[in-house]
Amino acid sequence: MSALQASPLEQRPSGRWRVGLPVEFTARDSWQKLPGVALDISLGGMFVETSCPAAFGAAVWTGFTLPGHGEPLLVPGTVRWTSSRGMGVQFGLLGARETRAITETVRRAPMRRT
């Protein structure tokens, strides 16, 4: 990699906060809530560690409560990749409340940003 090329992590528009945050997710066409742990989160999405990831391309709803925010968030997303450990979820259209909560949480944790 040349000095002018940035790694994929450096090209991200926002910071990614490493966290162990309990989450629940469900496919949009299902009522079954499945457990997971968000290992990192950014304004663009999160990695959810789970033994039962949704399929690649699946539309999901992910629910979680960020530290310092009493109200739980429920955000839409799409599964962009899966592995034996879990799935990468790209967030869909976020409302102002969700955007602010995630942005503030990531900003408050500068030592944990990657």
Side-chain angles (χ1 to χ4, degrees), residues 14-37:
S14 60
R16 183 166 290 267
W17 181 46
R18 297 215 184 269
V19 63
L21 184 69
V23 301
E24 287 187 332
F25 65 93
T26 184
R28 288 193 188 165
D29 58 355
S30 171
W31 289 99
Q32 184 180 15
K33 290 182 181 178
L34 299 169
V37 176

Side-chain angles (χ1 to χ4, degrees), residues 26-93:
T26 184
R28 288 193 188 165
D29 58 355
S30 171
W31 289 99
Q32 184 180 15
K33 290 182 181 178
L34 299 169
V37 176
L39 297 185
D40 62 38
I41 185 171
S42 73
L43 199 51
M46 64 172 49
F47 174 72
V48 178
E49 185 176 57
T50 179
S51 60
C52 43
F56 171 78
V60 294
W61 287 98
T62 305
F64 52 95
T65 302
L66 293 169
H69 296 272
E71 292 291 318
L73 302 177
L74 183 61
V75 298
T78 303
V79 177
R80 292 299 179 201
W81 59 272
T82 63
S83 73
S84 60
R85 291 185 56 215
M87 61 187 176
V89 177
Q90 178 183 13
F91 293 148
L93 185 61

